[in-house]
């Protein structure tokens, strides 16, 4: 069964990729989607078999490599953490495949698109089933490659190519740290296999390792290097810049990358390596601070974005910060619980946004929307459910998982780091509610700002002081089409995935709260998440004061009230606030100027250095003095010598006389 779960997406990729022209676009859609559906059903069967039945299982596929002491098998590690990820990845991916049949129906390159989707899913499955760090790294790089192909799918669009390159390059920074972490783990343990590493972690807590001229605690250094990889893949603060630009790909790609797969790889990796992070409190503090900072930063930027997909993208970045805070304080199951619920409501929001874009003929700017609830009521209902789940409305999925993380941050008692995280997460919860309802109100309520009767962006009083790096007013998801037609509801093939995801956003939290963070914790996880003997966070989080329990709910209400007041009751207020605070508005609109800082510190110097080596090093030195230069000088000399061969007899006679005169002169001088 596990072979089928992992390899069916690979078969879909090979069939659509190699035989797409033969079977056609419809055949590619049917084959890849059907195989993913089967894989998703088998994943749910495995989820119940492992989570509520057997424990860890190891499935040997093949011997991969052997070099000296390094032995790497290709094997599947099947435990509760694995099957949770199998359910998330394959469920969302299969629904994205189905949704894409409707969304991409006009694209002539559908076989290639569906092949890339299946390749992405296979790489993610390789990552989450990994039995060792090398196999995990293989899947890690595989999703990086597939994301590059998908983000840049419309390769004739310069912005898509730039976004794909940016995602690939920024992730290389994190992946470099991840690779160094794997090397260090092998040096310390003599193995990269989890079963060989985890039992020995406690023996190495005091061992040191010299790195960049300093003595480090070896486990702490390994954990920090591995977390550097997680920061890149899961778009944490400082390595987050690629994630919003990934919106240049088709909307189903955004849902696949943001909801369940690539960006959660870092969260999964830290959870899988919980036996290491549990023994390195200093590294755990770094995880807490980075996670909380990311949650706050991304939420502030989401407040002012106008592209519907970018708002949801920054929401993803913020929610990933919540997950890392949970991992940092030792509440690993709470972090995975939020990953699980987040997959449903975030995929719902992205695919709902795609339905809006489809209805609006590829318009993505919310300032050109409004009043859509009457025209696309099913999409509006789905987006409402997704928004309620994201903001943590009681009984919806996000209510259980996000509140558990906030409570665990308060209960952690890890000094400044946990206090810092608790405050920032509550503030971020308020901002999450604000920008989520802002998105809903600007898109579905109020007067229509599209069509012939629209009055532009002024209806909502938004400032227009965008600089070159701010998003354009019109960002198209595909080939630009006019948006003066009446919006229309999406076809059934797009609405069915929205309905299924809406059920998950409604009930995933309520149904699985007990086994993720409740009394059934130990029986469900069966040791796949390690907690030390002094880690009682899951017990302590249920004993926090009532005001802590109520704080995210109150923050959610405040955010909703502000959004309603500013975008329904007084739509002139946002423009006035932006005009009154231009510096703050531009600071948030330009994403804290992180991209500009990186451009100044890294991009421009790298470009200058590259041009210097090209013009001066390659062109002047190597080409001028190397083989190319020597051959050029030979040609120059030859061209000059050739001019002496005129073909005239008197020229040759004159030259001979000059030679004779020279010879006689030399003879007389020498003899004299």
């Amino acid at each position: 069964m596990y072979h089928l779960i992992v390899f069916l997406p690979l078969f879909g990729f090979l069939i659509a990729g190699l035989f797409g022209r033969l079977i056609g676009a419809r055949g590619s859609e049917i084959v890849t989607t059907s195989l993913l559906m089967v894989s998703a059903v088998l994943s749910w069967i495995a989820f119940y078999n492992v989570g509520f039945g057997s424990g860890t299982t190891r499935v040997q596929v093949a011997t991969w490599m052997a070099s000296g002491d390094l032995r790497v098998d290709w094997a599947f590690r099947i435990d509760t953490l694995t099957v949770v990820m199998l359910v998330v990845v394959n469920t969302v991916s299969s629904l994205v495949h189905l949704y894409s049949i409707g969304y991409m129906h006009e694209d002539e390159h559908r076989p290639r698109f569906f092949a890339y989707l299946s390749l992405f899913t296979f790489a993610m499955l390789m990552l989450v089933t990994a039995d060792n760090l090398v196999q995990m790294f293989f899947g890690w790089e595989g999703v990086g490659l597939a994301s590059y192909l998908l983000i840049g799918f419309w390769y004739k669009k310069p912005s898509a190519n730039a976004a794909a390159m940016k995602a690939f390059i920024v992730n290389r920074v994190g992946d470099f740290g991840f690779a160094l972490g794997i090397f260090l783990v092998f040096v310390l343990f003599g193995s990269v296999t989890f079963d060989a590493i985890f039992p020995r972690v406690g023996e190495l807590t005091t061992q040191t390792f010299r790195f960049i001229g300093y003595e480090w605690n070896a486990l702490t250094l390994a954990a920090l290097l591995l977390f550097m990889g997680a920061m890149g893949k899961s778009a944490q603060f400082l390595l987050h810049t690629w994630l919003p630009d990934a919106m240049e790909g088709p909307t189903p790609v955004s849902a696949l990358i943001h909801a369940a797969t690539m960006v959660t790889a870092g969260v999964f990796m830290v959870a899988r390596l919980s036996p290491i992070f549990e023994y390195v409190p200093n590294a755990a503090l770094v995880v807490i601070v980075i996670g909380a900072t990311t949650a706050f930063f991304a939420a502030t930027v989401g407040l002012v974005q106008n592209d519907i997909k970018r708002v949801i993208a920054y929401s993803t970045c913020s929610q990933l910060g919540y997950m890392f805070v949970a991992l940092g304080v030792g509440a690993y199951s709470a972090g995975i619980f939020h990953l699980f619920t987040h997959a449903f409501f975030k995929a719902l929001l992205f695919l709902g946004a795609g339905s809006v874009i489809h209805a609006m003929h590829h318009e993505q700017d919310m300032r050109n929307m409004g009043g859509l609830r009457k025209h696309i009521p099913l999409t509006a209902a789905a987006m409402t459910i997704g928004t309620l789940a994201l903001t943590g409305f009681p009984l919806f999925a996000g209510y259980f998982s996000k509140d558990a993380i906030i409570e665990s941050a308060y209960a952690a008692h890890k000094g400044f780091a946990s206090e810092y995280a608790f405050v920032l997460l509550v503030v971020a919860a308020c901002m999450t509610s604000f920008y989520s309802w802002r998105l809903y109100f600007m898109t579905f309520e109020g007067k229509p700002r599209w069509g012939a009767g629209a009055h532009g962006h002024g209806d909502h009083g938004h400032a227009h002081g965008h600089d070159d790096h701010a998003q354009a007013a019109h960002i198209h998801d595909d080939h630009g089409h006019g948006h003066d037609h009446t919006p229309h509801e999406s076809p059934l093939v797009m609405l069915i995935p929205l309905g299924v995801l809406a059920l998950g956003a409604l009930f995933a939290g309520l149904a699985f709260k007990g086994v993720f963070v409740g009394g059934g914790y130990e029986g469900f996880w069966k040791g796949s998440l390690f907690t030390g003997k002094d880690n009682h966070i899951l017990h302590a989080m249920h004993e926090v004061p009532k005001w802590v329990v109520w704080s995210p709910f109150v923050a959610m209400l405040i955010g909703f009230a502000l959004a309603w007041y500013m975008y329904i009751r007084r739509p002139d207020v946002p423009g006035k606030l932006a005009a009154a605070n231009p510096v703050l508005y531009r600071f948030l609109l330009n994403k804290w100027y992180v991209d500009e800082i990186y451009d100044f510190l890294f991009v421009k110097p790298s470009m200058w250095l590259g041009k210097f080596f090209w013009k001066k090093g390659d062109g002047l030195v190597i080409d001028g003095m190397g083989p190319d230069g020597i051959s050029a000088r030979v040609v120059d000399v030859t061209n000059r010598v050739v001019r002496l061969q005129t073909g005239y007899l008197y020229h040759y006679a004159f030259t001979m006389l000059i030679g004779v005169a020279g010879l006689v002169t030399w003879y007389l001088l020498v003899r004299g």
Side-chain angles (χ1 to χ4, degrees):
M1 178 173 68
Y2 299 113
H3 290 81
L4 289 176
I5 291 174
V6 174
F7 290 116
L8 284 178
L10 177 62
F11 294 152
F13 160 68
L14 293 174
I15 293 170
L18 297 177
F19 306 107
R21 292 185 179 181
L22 182 64
I23 63 178
R26 178 60 67 187
S28 299
E29 293 170 347
I30 293 173
V31 168
T32 54
T33 304
S34 299
L35 292 177
L36 257 297
M37 292 289 183
V38 173
S39 188
V41 171
L42 293 176
S43 298
W44 278 100
I45 295 173
F47 176 79
Y48 282 99
N49 286 345
V50 176
F52 301 99
S54 61
T56 302
T57 304
R58 186 178 187 274
V59 180
Q60 177 80 11
V61 178
T63 299
W64 189 2
M65 65 178 75
S67 177
D69 295 332
L70 178 64
R71 297 279 191 275
V72 179
D73 288 334
W74 185 0
F76 303 149
R77 181 184 180 88
I78 307 298
D79 56 15
T80 306
L81 179 59
T82 302
V83 294
V84 167
M85 295 302 296
L86 290 178
V87 164
V88 168
V89 172
N90 282 324
T91 301
V92 173
S93 183
S94 61
L95 293 173
V96 167
H97 273 73
L98 181 62
Y99 179 93
S100 299
I101 293 176
Y103 191 87
M104 300 291 291
H105 73 281
E106 294 180 351
D107 197 288
E108 58 181 328
H109 301 295
R110 280 173 289 164
R112 178 165 60 89
F113 180 76
F114 279 85
Y116 289 168
L117 286 183
S118 293
L119 174 64
F120 192 107
T121 307
F122 168 70
M124 192 67 197
L125 294 175
M126 285 293 295
L127 193 160
V128 301
T129 59
D131 179 65
N132 55 77
L133 286 168
V134 174
Q135 184 180 329
M136 181 182 285
F137 191 72
F138 173 80
W140 195 272
E141 295 302 306
V143 292
L145 168 65
S147 67
Y148 169 80
L149 296 173
L150 286 166
I151 295 169
F153 177 73
W154 287 317
Y155 57 85
K156 294 182 179 179
K157 186 179 177 185
S159 58
N161 285 327
M165 287 293 295
K166 188 175 183 179
F168 200 77
I169 293 169
V170 173
N171 271 275
R172 296 292 70 71
V173 178
D175 294 353
F176 178 69
F178 189 19
L180 291 179
I182 295 174
F183 298 156
L184 181 54
V185 167
F186 179 71
V187 170
L188 296 176
F189 295 94
S191 176
V192 293
T193 304
F194 298 138
D195 286 337
I197 296 170
F198 293 162
R200 296 184 51 211
V201 174
E203 304 171 7
L204 301 174
T205 53
T206 59
Q207 185 166 337
T208 60
F209 186 84
R210 191 167 185 81
F211 180 64
I212 57 174
Y214 295 93
E215 288 289 333
W216 299 70
N217 178 279
L219 281 180
T220 299
L221 178 60
L224 289 174
L225 289 171
L226 293 168
F227 178 61
M228 183 177 171
M231 287 178 62
K233 198 66 72 181
S234 293
Q236 293 301 282
F237 184 61
L238 299 180
L239 292 180
H240 67 279
T241 53
W242 67 270
L243 191 61
D245 290 346
M247 298 301 95
E248 290 292 338
T251 298
V253 173
S254 305
L256 192 60
I257 291 176
H258 283 249
T261 52
M262 182 170 165
V263 295
T264 59
V267 177
F268 165 79
M269 184 260 280
V270 174
R272 171 62 79 203
L273 300 178
S274 55
I276 294 178
F277 281 87
E278 194 71 3
Y279 282 97
V280 285
N282 290 333
L285 295 179
V286 174
V287 175
I288 295 171
V289 171
I290 292 292
T293 304
T294 304
F296 177 79
F297 154 76
T300 62
V301 176
L303 296 175
V304 298
Q305 300 301 307
N306 297 311
D307 184 306
I308 188 171
K309 285 171 63 177
R310 283 181 179 264
V311 175
I312 306 173
Y314 279 105
S315 170
T316 297
C317 193
S318 182
Q319 298 305 305
L320 289 166
Y322 276 85
M323 298 175 203
F324 277 110
V325 169
L327 299 176
V329 300
Y332 304 105
S333 60
I336 297 299
F337 186 28
H338 196 48
L339 184 157
F340 182 78
T341 59
H342 176 263
F344 292 102
F345 60 74
K346 189 51 61 71
L348 175 62
L349 287 170
F350 264 115
L351 296 186
S355 185
V356 171
I357 295 167
H358 184 269
M360 292 295 295
H361 306 281
H362 304 284
E363 175 61 68
Q364 294 181 212
D365 196 316
M366 296 185 298
R367 295 169 296 182
N368 296 327
M369 298 180 185
L372 292 178
R373 179 168 53 85
K374 297 177 181 178
H375 299 276
I376 48 174
L378 296 178
T379 299
M383 291 289 282
T384 302
I385 293 172
T387 301
L388 290 169
L390 172 61
T391 58
F393 191 81
L395 302 182
F396 284 73
Y399 169 75
F400 296 99
S401 57
K402 187 161 73 172
D403 287 19
I405 293 174
I406 293 174
E407 292 164 14
S408 67
Y410 180 86
H413 301 300
K414 291 183 179 289
F416 168 78
S418 56
E419 295 169 1
Y420 173 83
F422 171 72
V423 173
L424 260 61
L425 293 187
V426 173
V427 174
C430 179
M431 292 189 288
T432 299
S433 180
F434 176 84
Y435 66 65
S436 298
W437 287 111
R438 171 182 178 265
L439 181 152
Y440 180 83
F441 293 145
M442 289 183 68
T443 304
F444 296 103
E445 303 297 335
K447 296 179 181 179
R449 297 181 301 281
W450 42 268
H455 297 288
H457 299 165
D459 290 351
H460 275 266
H462 290 284
H464 295 277
H466 297 196
D467 61 19
D468 292 338
H469 297 282
Q471 56 194 352
H474 299 279
I475 304 175
H476 297 281
D477 198 23
D478 194 353
H479 312 292
H481 297 287
H483 48 76
D484 56 346
H485 306 295
T486 302
H488 54 86
E489 190 61 272
S490 297
L492 192 62
V493 72
M494 293 172 64
L495 293 177
I496 290 175
L498 293 181
V500 175
L501 291 169
L503 291 175
L506 278 168
F507 301 115
L510 186 62
F512 295 102
K513 177 188 176 183
V515 295
F516 275 90
V517 294
Y521 168 83
E522 291 293 342
F524 180 72
W525 291 104
K526 301 179 183 67
S528 59
L529 295 176
F530 177 80
T531 51
K533 61 181 180 179
D534 297 325
N535 186 342
H536 306 293
I537 188 68
L538 290 179
H539 176 73
M541 62 184 279
H542 295 296
E543 298 180 350
V544 297
K546 290 295 182 184
W547 69 268
V548 175
V549 176
W550 283 96
S551 60
F553 177 74
V554 173
M556 181 268 293
L557 289 181
I558 293 173
F560 170 80
L562 285 173
W564 177 84
Y565 177 77
M566 294 173 65
Y567 291 94
I568 298 296
R569 182 75 177 83
R570 290 285 305 278
D572 60 311
V573 170
K576 293 179 179 178
L577 278 177
N581 302 277
V583 175
L584 177 61
Y585 177 73
R586 293 174 69 85
F587 178 72
L588 298 180
L589 189 66
N590 289 283
K591 304 154 286 189
W592 292 23
Y593 291 101
V594 176
D595 282 280
E596 287 77 4
I597 293 172
Y598 284 175
D599 186 64
F600 175 77
L601 292 179
F602 303 114
V603 178
K604 288 182 178 177
S606 298
M607 295 291 288
W608 177 87
L609 190 62
K611 189 173 182 179
F612 174 80
F613 283 131
W614 169 34
K615 294 292 187 182
K616 303 300 182 183
D618 190 25
L620 185 62
V621 178
I622 296 176
D623 288 344
M625 301 177 63
D628 288 346
I630 293 173
S631 63
R633 300 294 79 75
V634 170
V635 171
D636 292 342
V637 172
T638 302
N639 288 335
R640 288 180 172 84
V641 171
V642 164
R643 294 175 184 174
L644 297 176
Q645 304 295 327
T646 63
Y648 293 108
L649 182 62
Y650 56 86
H651 284 170
Y652 297 148
F654 178 73
T655 303
M656 291 173 65
L657 288 174
I658 294 296
V660 170
L663 181 61
V664 170
T665 302
W666 173 81
Y667 177 78
L668 291 175
L669 290 174
V670 171
R671 294 291 292 179

